[in-house]
Amino acid sequence: MKPSRILVTAALPYANGPIHIGHLVEYIQTDIWVRFQKLRGQRCIYICADDTHGTAIMISAKKRGVTEEEFIEAMHVEHQRDFAAFEIEFDHYGSTNSLENRELCEEFWTAVNDAGLVTEKAVEQLYDPIARTPLADRFVRGKCPVCQAEEQYGDHCESCLSTYTPVELIDPRSVLSGAPTELRTHPHKFIQLEKLHDFLEGWTQNEDHLQPEVANYLRGHFLGEAGNPENPRKELMDWDVTRPPEYFGFEIPDFPGNYWYVWFDAPIGYVAATKQWCHQHGEKLENWWRDPATKIHHFIGKDITYFHALFWPGMLKTAGFNLPEKVHIHGFLTVDGTKMSKSKGTFVKASTYLNHLDPAYMRYYYSTKLGARLDDLDLNLDEFVNKVNSDLVGKVVNLASRTARFATDTGLSGMYPEDGGLFATGVEIGDEIAAAYEMCDYNRAMRLIMDLADRANPYVEAQAPWNLRKDPAQADRLQDVCTVALNLFRQIAVYLAPVLPRLARQTGELLSEPIQSWDQAKQPLLGTPVQPFQHMLQRLEKKDVEAMINESKEMEEGPTSTFQDSNAPLQEEPLCEEISFDDVMKVDLRVARVVQAEDVPDARKLLKLTLSLGGDERRTVFAGIKAAADPEQLVGRLVVLAANLAPRKMKFGISEGMILAAGPGGKDVFILGVDDGAQPGQRVH
RNA sequence: GGGCCUGUAGCUCAGCGGUUAGAGCAGGGGACUCAUAAUCCCUUGGUCGGGGGUUCGAAUCCCUCCGGGCCUACCA
C-alpha cells in the first residue's frame, strides 16, 4: 500500500565550512531517492537545513570578526548555492537557528521533562578564561597523561591511543586562546536514555528500521541483550544535553543561563524545517510528523549513527512524534583508496568541482557505487573518467546522438514498430530497477540500466540506419528504426531521471514530451516531432579532473626555497599561539644520555629508557617510539630531555620526563640529537 | 582487547547451496563509419584469501587462520 506522504531528510550540514565531495555522497543519494519517489507519483518532500549552533561556529565567527548570525547566514547562502548546482533539490532548506526550531526545542524539552527523563548533575569541565567559554574535548590540547606525548586532544592520545578525560591532561591549554585552562564545575542536565531502553531495543531490532549491520552494532555496543552472557544488557548512558555559557545556541527557559547542546536542537531542526515548509505551503505539521500515514526516512552518514538510531527515536517517541520508518546509513568517501586529503588535493570542495566538471558526472558515478549497505565508497579518479565516458556518453547518449538526426525531418512513427521485444524487456526490467532504487541499491539499478543500453546499441548496429538513409524507398524503415532507438533511449532516460534530471529534461525537449513520470517508460512515445539533436553531455576529460585536483591542493606559501619541502606537516599541525620568553624558559631541556633502553612487551608503542644527566642522576622515561627505534641502537646516544616535567604514573611504571622527537608518530619518529661535544646534564638554551 | 564489515578475472563489482563462476572497464584480434575516436562482433584472463568441516553437491553454510577497512576501548 502506498503511504500517503513520505518525508525525507539528509543530515543537516554543519554551518562551519563549505560543502565538499564527501558531503555530496549523502545529499546526492538522498536527492536521487526523493526524485525517484516523486517520479513514481509519491507525495514526497525533501527537507534539510543548516546545523548552526555550537562552540565551533562561535569560534569561527569570532575569528572573522562577525556575529554568529552573520556567519551562518553567509554559509547558508553558500550551501544552498552549492546544492542547487548539483541539482540537489530540497523542498525546503532551513536553519536550526530559527524561531520554529526554538519553539519545537521547548516542546521536546517539556516532553522529556514531563516524562521524567531529565536529571541534573555537576560536570567538571575545562574552561578558557580568556575566550570565556567551556571547552569541548577537541578544543583542549595538552600532554598525554599516559605517554607524555605533546599536543594531544582532550579526550584521547593519538600517540599511544589511550583515552582519558580532559581533566587528566597535563598542562592543558585552550586551542582557542592558548591560555592554560581552568577547571570549573557547572550543573548540566542529562537525558536518561536508559529509561527508554526497552523501547529502543524494540525499535532498533525490529521492522527493518535500520540496516542489519547497524542493528547488530547497536545491540553489541550499546544495548546488549538480556539473557545473553556474551553480551549482557548494558545501561545506556545519560546524555548531557546542556551547555553553560558562552555558547551559541538556544537558551533553556527553565534553566536560565544554559543552552541546549547543538546535538539536542539539530535533529529537531528536521521538524522545524518541515514546519517552515508547511507554513509556506498551507500544510499542517501534524500531518507530516504526527500521522502514521506519513513515512519518515532519514539519510545519514555512519558517524552519526548513535544520535539518529538511539537518541533521536527516544526523543520522538517521548514527544509523541512519528518515528522514522527507516534510517538509511551510508559510509564515508575515500578518493583513490585513501581518506580525502587537503595536501593531495582530494579534499575537493563542491565549488571547486563546479569550476571544472559537470555535476552529472558525479551524480552518476556515485550511483554506480552506492548500495544499501553502509560500506565506504571510493572515488577512483581513473575509473570515474572511464565509467562516465563509456556508460553515459558512449552507450546512453550515443543512442540518441546516432539516430536523432535521421528522424528530425519525420518525427517518430505513429505506430510502434517491431523491435524484437527490446522495449518490452525494458518495461519488464523497469520493475527491477524501481525495486533497486527503492532499496537504495543504486549500483544495481545502474547496472540494469546499462544492460538495457547494451542491448539497444547492437539493434542500431544491425539495422544500420545510415545505410537505410541512402535509399529513399527505405524512408519508412528508417523512421521506424529511429523510433525504436529513440524510444529505447527515452526509456533509459526515464530510468536515469532520478540520477540525471538534466538528461531527462533534454530528452523531453528532443522528443517533444517532457519526462515527468516513471510510467512513461512503459509506453513508447509515438508521432511526436524530433528536435535537432544537441549535445547532451560532454566527455569527461582526465585533464579537467587533474585541474580540479590541482586547484584543491593547498597552495605552498612563502619565498621559493631550493629545498622543496612539503607544507603537509604544517597543515596537519598548525603553529601554536605565541608565547613569552618566560614561557619558553619554564621548560628545562637537558642533554641526556641513553644508558639503558628496553622494550616494554605489553605496550604497543612504548620503550622504557633510562637516561643519565651525568653523575648519578638517572631518569626513567617511557617514550612512544617502539615502532621507530631499536633499543640497542639507542644506548649511548645523546638526546634532549624535558627534565622538569612532572612525573606521570603510567601503566608500566612512572615516567619522569620526555625526550624530544619530531614526526607524526608510528614508524616516523625522529629523535632530536645533539651535536658532538655536548655533555649530559647541560641545559638547552 | 572488543564489535561490525570485507577479501571472486589487471581494476570496480555481481552472484550468497545446485548445470562447465558472471558483467562492465582495461588487454588482444577483427568489422563498421551514423555518432562526442563513440559502436558492433570475437577473444585472453580466476584452483572465488589459505586450511578444515557440513552436504549427493559450496564462491555460496559452519569453524579456524591470514589480509583489508571502519567503529570502539570502562564520558558517543
Side-chain angles (χ1 to χ4, degrees):
Chain A
M1 204 175 70
K2 275 191 174 184
S4 44
R5 296 176 209 87
I6 304 173
L7 189 151
V8 182
T9 71
L12 311 187
Y14 202 43
N16 196 31
I19 301 301
H20 57 68
I21 57 176
H23 290 113
L24 288 170
V25 172
E26 175 169 317
Y27 301 96
I28 288 174
Q29 179 188 38
T30 313
D31 185 66
I32 290 169
W33 202 77
V34 170
R35 284 180 185 271
F36 169 72
Q37 297 299 342
K38 288 178 174 172
L39 198 62
R40 298 277 281 177
Q42 299 283 11
R43 183 101 200 277
C44 178
I45 58 171
Y46 185 6
I47 297 292
C48 199
D50 267 348
D51 178 15
T52 59
H53 291 154
T55 314
I57 301 273
M58 201 168 77
I59 292 158
S60 294
K62 273 185 188 157
K63 242 186 223 167
R64 285 167 184 73
V66 298
T67 65
E68 285 91 351
E69 287 78 3
E70 287 168 332
F71 179 76
I72 61 174
E73 179 51 32
M75 206 52 85
H76 197 235
V77 170
E78 196 181 307
H79 284 182
Q80 285 180 281
R81 184 200 62 205
D82 289 343
F83 287 135
F86 276 86
E87 303 225 50
I88 294 159
E89 204 169 77
F90 300 112
D91 288 275
H92 187 71
Y93 194 84
S95 163
T96 58
N97 196 46
S98 69
L99 178 65
E100 289 83 354
N101 201 35
R102 181 190 288 273
E103 288 170 357
L104 280 157
C105 285
E106 289 172 11
E107 188 177 341
F108 274 86
W109 187 240
T110 303
V112 288
N113 273 286
D114 290 351
L117 297 181
V118 178
T119 183
E120 187 175 315
K121 296 188 236 180
V123 171
E124 279 192 333
Q125 200 175 14
L126 295 179
Y127 184 87
D128 182 332
I130 293 175
R132 294 193 312 175
T133 175
L135 297 162
D137 295 351
R138 67 179 180 287
F139 292 115
V140 182
R141 287 239 181 169
K143 197 177 296 180
C144 167
V146 181
C147 77
Q148 315 292 303
E150 291 278 6
E151 281 298 308
Q152 295 305 318
Y153 288 104
D155 56 346
H156 71 280
C157 173
E158 292 180 325
S159 178
C160 72
L161 301 180
S162 50
T163 55
Y164 38 80
T165 70
V167 176
E168 295 174 70
L169 208 61
I170 304 169
D171 293 337
R173 292 185 327 278
S174 165
V175 172
L176 309 183
S177 67
T181 57
E182 293 173 10
L183 188 60
R184 293 206 178 177
T185 303
H186 198 94
H188 284 230
K189 299 238 184 185
F190 289 74
I191 290 180
Q192 298 166 289
L193 261 195
E194 177 57 23
K195 291 190 173 175
L196 300 171
H197 193 117
D198 290 340
F199 158 72
L200 289 172
E201 185 173 309
W203 186 82
T204 59
Q205 302 301 314
N206 298 307
E207 296 171 31
D208 287 335
H209 296 127
L210 302 167
Q211 288 122 302
E213 59 269 43
V214 177
N216 288 344
Y217 158 71
L218 295 172
R219 193 174 61 237
H221 231 270
F222 296 103
L223 295 162
E225 291 163 272
N228 178 354
E230 298 271 305
N231 178 31
R233 182 178 161 117
K234 296 179 172 64
E235 230 176 72
L236 292 165
M237 247 125 21
D238 292 347
W239 235 75
D240 183 355
V241 292
T242 70
R243 291 294 181 271
E246 290 178 15
Y247 196 76
F248 180 55
F250 293 137
E251 193 172 356
I252 305 168
D254 62 356
F255 196 32
N258 288 281
Y259 298 81
W260 282 303
Y261 177 43
V262 56
W263 262 111
F264 180 84
D265 75 59
I268 296 174
Y270 294 138
V271 186
T274 311
K275 192 170 181 181
Q276 292 180 329
W277 176 85
C278 286
H279 285 163
Q280 290 166 6
H281 292 82
E283 292 273 339
K284 287 201 174 96
L285 185 66
E286 302 293 301
N287 290 341
W288 288 89
W289 276 94
R290 298 207 202 248
D291 180 346
T294 301
K295 301 299 177 197
I296 293 166
H297 291 255
H298 294 305
F299 285 77
I300 61 165
K302 64 184 181 183
D303 51 328
I304 53 177
T305 299
Y306 172 85
F307 301 98
H308 285 80
L310 292 175
F311 183 63
W312 180 230
M315 299 269 289
L316 289 169
K317 167 78 175 169
T318 305
F321 286 82
N322 277 12
L323 288 159
E325 174 72 11
K326 181 129 191 172
V327 181
H328 307 260
I329 306 179
H330 61 81
F332 295 146
L333 179 73
T334 56
V335 180
D336 283 342
T338 53
K339 273 189 190 170
M340 294 195 296
S341 138
K342 286 184 180 170
S343 57
K344 284 183 191 156
T346 52
F347 201 97
V348 182
K349 292 186 285 189
S351 56
T352 308
Y353 178 101
L354 292 167
N355 288 340
H356 301 274
L357 303 174
D358 185 339
Y361 303 151
M362 177 153 281
R363 293 180 63 100
Y364 176 69
Y365 183 79
Y366 281 172
S367 298
T368 67
K369 302 293 256 187
L370 278 165
R373 308 277 212 95
L374 81 178
D375 302 331
D376 286 349
L377 173 163
D378 186 47
L379 167 58
N380 179 292
L381 295 171
D382 288 328
E383 188 197 25
F384 176 50
V385 174
N386 216 312
K387 205 161 214 166
V388 166
N389 286 338
S390 88
D391 289 358
L392 293 184
V393 180
K395 288 178 186 173
V396 175
V397 174
N398 189 231
L399 275 172
S401 150
R402 67 194 309 203
T403 56
R405 66 196 64 202
F406 300 145
T408 313
D409 295 337
T410 61
L412 298 176
S413 303
M415 296 248 300
Y416 192 70
E418 170 57 38
D419 68 355
L422 285 170
F423 192 86
T425 305
V427 173
E428 209 175 299
I429 303 282
D431 291 340
E432 274 183 66
I433 297 169
Y437 272 121
E438 185 72 47
M439 296 188 310
C440 292
D441 209 352
Y442 301 165
N443 72 64
R444 177 171 161 77
M446 295 308 108
R447 241 179 299 122
L448 290 166
I449 294 168
M450 285 314 133
D451 194 46
L452 295 179
D454 279 337
R455 293 165 199 248
N457 272 307
Y459 170 85
V460 177
E461 200 76 16
Q463 301 301 319
W466 50 94
N467 288 335
L468 297 175
R469 185 186 51 158
K470 293 172 187 162
D471 180 1
Q474 301 274 27
D476 288 350
R477 272 283 308 287
L478 177 62
Q479 189 189 18
D480 280 355
V481 166
C482 293
T483 298
V484 170
L486 290 169
N487 265 295
L488 296 175
F489 167 69
R490 175 171 172 269
Q491 194 172 48
I492 290 167
V494 172
Y495 294 151
L496 282 175
V499 177
L500 302 175
R502 191 187 65 214
L503 182 71
R505 285 196 296 278
Q506 290 164 324
T507 303
E509 283 160 22
L510 179 73
L511 303 179
S512 312
E513 188 185 279
I515 290 173
Q516 289 158 330
S517 146
W518 185 265
D519 288 343
Q520 285 173 287
K522 293 182 178 169
Q523 283 300 323
L525 183 64
L526 298 168
T528 60
V530 174
Q531 306 303 325
F533 181 80
Q534 294 174 339
H535 265 29
M536 293 177 163
L537 194 69
Q538 295 302 317
R539 294 180 66 74
L540 202 180
E541 302 288 343
K542 178 73 182 168
K543 67 174 167 52
D544 294 330
V545 174
E546 283 161 2
M548 174 183 81
I549 296 296
N550 281 331
E551 193 191 325
S552 298
K553 281 184 185 158
E554 304 246 328
M555 293 290 126
E556 300 217 10
E557 287 170 9
T560 9
S561 157
T562 48
F563 303 101
Q564 303 267 317
D565 292 327
S566 158
N567 63 345
L570 263 185
Q571 293 290 341
E572 278 155 29
E573 190 169 348
L575 293 174
C576 296
E577 295 287 323
E578 185 178 293
I579 59 170
S580 70
F581 179 78
D582 291 342
D583 289 334
V584 174
M585 294 315 290
K586 280 183 190 166
V587 183
D588 191 353
L589 298 174
R590 298 286 170 157
V591 175
R593 188 181 303 281
V594 180
V595 293
Q596 205 180 331
E598 58 189 271
D599 186 44
V600 183
D602 291 339
R604 288 171 62 159
K605 301 199 161 188
L606 297 179
L607 292 183
K608 181 180 178 182
L609 305 180
T610 305
L611 304 175
S612 164
L613 291 174
D616 295 332
E617 196 67 31
R618 296 282 187 276
R619 296 295 175 85
T620 301
V621 170
F622 288 91
I625 56 174
K626 185 184 261 192
D630 177 357
E632 290 178 16
Q633 308 241 332
L634 285 172
V635 175
R637 262 187 80 165
L638 292 180
V639 298
V640 178
L641 172 73
N644 61 337
L645 176 64
R648 191 75 196 168
K649 187 169 185 297
M650 298 174 69
K651 190 171 173 186
F652 310 103
I654 293 174
S655 188
E656 302 166 314
M658 69 186 281
I659 64 168
L660 270 52
K667 283 181 193 162
D668 297 317
V669 174
F670 310 100
I671 299 168
L672 266 66
V674 185
D675 284 348
D676 287 345
Q679 298 290 320
Q682 286 177 336
R683 184 161 185 192
V684 180
H685 293 284

